[in-house]
Amino acid sequence: SLDKQSREGNTPLHYCVIQNQPESMRLLLRSGANASVENNNGKSPLSIAKERNHHLCEEMVSIIVKGTTVNDPPLALSTRPAI
C-alpha cells in the first residue's frame, strides 16, 4: 500500500520529504498516495518539508492538499533544460 506506515508512523511520502526526493514523491502522489497522513509525532509530509526547508517538496504537497494535481501546469518539477 502507498500509505503503509512504519513503526514510527512514516509513509513513503514522509521518507521522500525527509530525503528531499521530489521526483520519487511526484510518482507516489500521481499513484494516489495520501499526503495528509501524520506520523507518530503528529507530522505530515507538508510539516516535515516546511521544517527542513525542502521547498519543492513543500510546494508539491501543498498543491495536493489544496486539491489540484501534480500534473497541473504551475508545478514544474524538472530543472533540467529541455533537449
Side-chain angles (χ1 to χ4, degrees):
S1 164
L2 294 174
D3 300 322
K4 184 164 177 66
Q5 292 179 276
S6 67
R7 222 175 305 185
E8 297 83 21
N10 292 319
T11 66
L13 278 179
H14 285 90
Y15 289 114
C16 285
V17 172
I18 290 166
Q19 297 296 318
N20 197 23
Q21 297 293 319
E23 288 294 332
S24 299
M25 191 172 175
R26 180 175 173 263
L27 292 172
L28 287 168
L29 290 168
R30 287 181 69 187
S31 298
N34 184 346
S36 300
V37 176
E38 293 183 350
N39 65 17
N40 295 350
N41 294 321
K43 295 186 179 185
S44 67
L46 179 58
S47 63
I48 294 171
K50 287 180 179 180
E51 188 176 277
R52 293 177 178 237
N53 294 317
H54 294 167
H55 301 292
L56 187 54
C57 291
E58 179 182 345
E59 180 183 355
M60 289 176 63
V61 177
S62 293
I63 288 170
I64 294 301
V65 170
K66 290 177 185 174
T68 58
T69 68
V70 178
N71 296 322
D72 287 347
L75 185 60
L77 292 181
S78 180
T79 56
R80 295 184 211 130
I83 299 175

